[in-house]
Amino acid sequence: MRMDKYGRELDLILILTENASYTAQQIADRLGITRRNLYYYFDYLRDCGFNLQKTGTTYRLDRSSSFFRRLHEQISLSEYEAAYICRRLDSDDTRDHTAVNIRQKLARSFNLPDAVNPELQRRMNDCVSKLREAMATRKMVVLHKYASPHSNTVTDRIVEPYQLMNDERDVRCHEIRSHENKTFRLSRMESVEIIDVPWTFDNRHKQMYTDMFMFTGEQRYTVKMRMGLLSYNLMVEEYPQSAKCFTADGDTAWIFEGEVVSFLGIGRFVLGLYEDIEVIGCEEFKAYLAEKIKSMSCAG
């Protein structure tokens, strides 16, 4: 099929991603083509990796298709990227109205109150300095007047801080009262006080780890799989950081071995390409997949 500068393909994508579902005839009428030609366009979209869904007699594109995920990743800002831009724009000079407007818009969109409050930013910088000193000397600290949105309380917390995270906007600590490792946001504490008490529970400190599927946790699992060319190519396209986890296994297969902290991300990928992937390592992951397949079978 000859493509006329991809105009109709783009129009078709826009129609299929509207908040509605259309029949083949309705779509053909809007594009000014026959239904027979429309089905050629449908085949073209499928070949390009789009997930075209048909419900009854209507059609739509699944927004979870890899194209839309990659597009979103390319054009959208993460919360941490937005915070970084705000900090670079931040200054005491409020005469730059464009910078002020940008900071305010980013703060509203990403819930970043510190981005437009220089006083709060200075307080956070002081907290970071105290936390760094406490970690270097292995001392406990008091997080004064920490506002917790979960318990809806403002309390002092005695903790052992051991890891600054997320561009120094969060700190990972072992809380003495609960004996749990928790993440505290610097913008929610009034101040940090170092107390002359050495760490006692450093054997319980566990570093937080973010895996290639962007899940964060303390527990890591090593997953080993044999993957065909299709699943290998799709994983490297969708998760470029996974490339270092592969070794060739002949001409048509690859061995993946990497660490994850959650089975949700890698499980979704494996279940979507189950016939092209063999899990050969990590009994916990095998059990997770078996349970998922069982629940899907029961639901069906």
Side-chain angles (χ1 to χ4, degrees):
M1 178 176 59
R2 180 180 177 274
M3 301 303 167
D4 185 11
K5 296 183 180 179
Y6 301 101
R8 284 206 176 100
E9 288 82 352
L10 295 175
D11 288 338
L12 178 56
I13 291 172
L14 291 174
I15 292 171
L16 292 172
T17 52
E18 292 178 2
N19 191 25
S21 296
Y22 299 100
T23 65
Q25 189 59 57
Q26 289 172 324
I27 297 171
D29 290 342
R30 290 186 60 175
L31 292 174
I33 60 176
T34 65
R35 288 181 60 180
R36 180 177 180 179
N37 282 338
L38 176 65
Y39 293 130
Y40 287 129
Y41 284 105
F42 282 170
D43 288 339
Y44 174 76
L45 291 184
R46 292 189 183 97
D47 291 341
C48 290
F50 290 95
N51 183 9
L52 182 65
Q53 294 184 332
K54 182 180 180 183
T55 305
T57 59
T58 63
Y59 295 84
R60 60 184 296 274
L61 282 179
D62 183 0
R63 290 179 179 270
S64 66
S65 299
S66 61
F67 170 84
F68 292 113
R69 290 199 302 272
R70 293 198 300 269
L71 180 63
H72 177 77
E73 291 169 358
Q74 290 293 327
I75 66 175
S76 64
L77 289 175
S78 69
E79 178 182 347
Y80 307 123
E81 290 169 335
Y84 174 79
I85 293 173
C86 286
R87 288 195 296 274
R88 292 300 297 265
L89 292 172
D90 201 10
S91 70
D92 292 333
D93 184 4
T94 58
R95 293 172 296 178
D96 188 344
H97 297 295
T98 300
V100 171
N101 288 336
I102 292 173
R103 290 200 304 270
Q104 290 176 341
K105 287 180 180 179
L106 287 174
R108 286 194 299 268
S109 299
F110 290 89
N111 191 26
L112 301 171
D114 54 298
V116 292
N117 188 333
E119 176 58 33
L120 181 54
Q121 186 61 54
R122 282 191 288 269
R123 193 170 78 226
M124 289 173 60
N125 291 340
D126 182 65
C127 289
V128 168
S129 178
K130 293 287 183 61
L131 290 167
R132 284 188 175 279
E133 181 182 348
M135 287 187 284
T137 57
R138 300 169 66 87
K139 293 291 181 65
M140 294 185 187
V141 303
V142 181
L143 307 180
H144 285 292
K145 294 186 178 180
Y146 185 79
S148 171
H150 302 293
S151 60
N152 196 29
T153 59
V154 178
T155 57
D156 292 346
R157 309 288 188 96
I158 300 177
V159 300
E160 297 177 353
Y162 60 87
Q163 182 184 7
L164 286 166
M165 303 165 52
N166 303 331
D167 201 17
E168 299 187 339
R169 297 174 60 237
D170 301 327
V171 61
R172 191 71 174 170
C173 305
H174 182 80
E175 186 180 43
I176 304 304
R177 180 180 59 82
S178 64
H179 287 300
E180 294 179 356
N181 294 333
K182 297 182 178 181
T183 300
F184 296 92
R185 180 151 290 189
L186 271 67
S187 61
R188 295 175 183 161
M189 59 187 72
E190 185 172 280
S191 62
V192 173
E193 177 191 357
I194 301 174
I195 56 179
D196 193 21
V197 180
W199 285 354
T200 306
F201 305 100
D202 50 310
N203 61 320
R204 302 188 185 185
H205 298 178
K206 292 184 179 180
Q207 298 287 309
M208 293 290 283
Y209 175 76
T210 301
D211 64 23
M212 68 187 69
F213 300 94
M214 301 311 295
F215 286 90
T216 301
E218 295 179 344
Q219 180 69 45
R220 303 190 203 184
Y221 302 92
T222 299
V223 174
K224 189 174 183 179
M225 305 183 294
R226 180 177 289 108
M227 304 172 66
L229 287 175
L230 174 62
S231 54
Y232 163 73
N233 287 328
L234 287 176
M235 178 171 278
V236 172
E237 287 178 8
E238 294 186 25
Y239 306 99
Q241 62 270 43
S242 69
K244 62 185 178 182
C245 301
F246 284 99
T247 55
D249 184 31
D251 296 330
T252 60
W254 292 81
I255 298 296
F256 168 90
E257 187 168 4
E259 291 185 330
V260 298
V261 300
S262 170
F263 295 141
L264 289 175
I266 195 170
R268 179 193 63 81
F269 186 89
V270 171
L271 290 171
L273 295 161
Y274 197 72
E275 295 180 351
D276 198 52
I277 300 174
E278 177 190 1
V279 180
I280 56 179
C282 190
E283 295 303 317
E284 295 93 341
F285 186 42
K286 291 180 181 179
Y288 171 87
L289 292 174
E291 185 61 31
K292 281 292 182 183
I293 294 171
K294 180 181 177 181
S295 64
M296 289 188 293
S297 300
C298 293

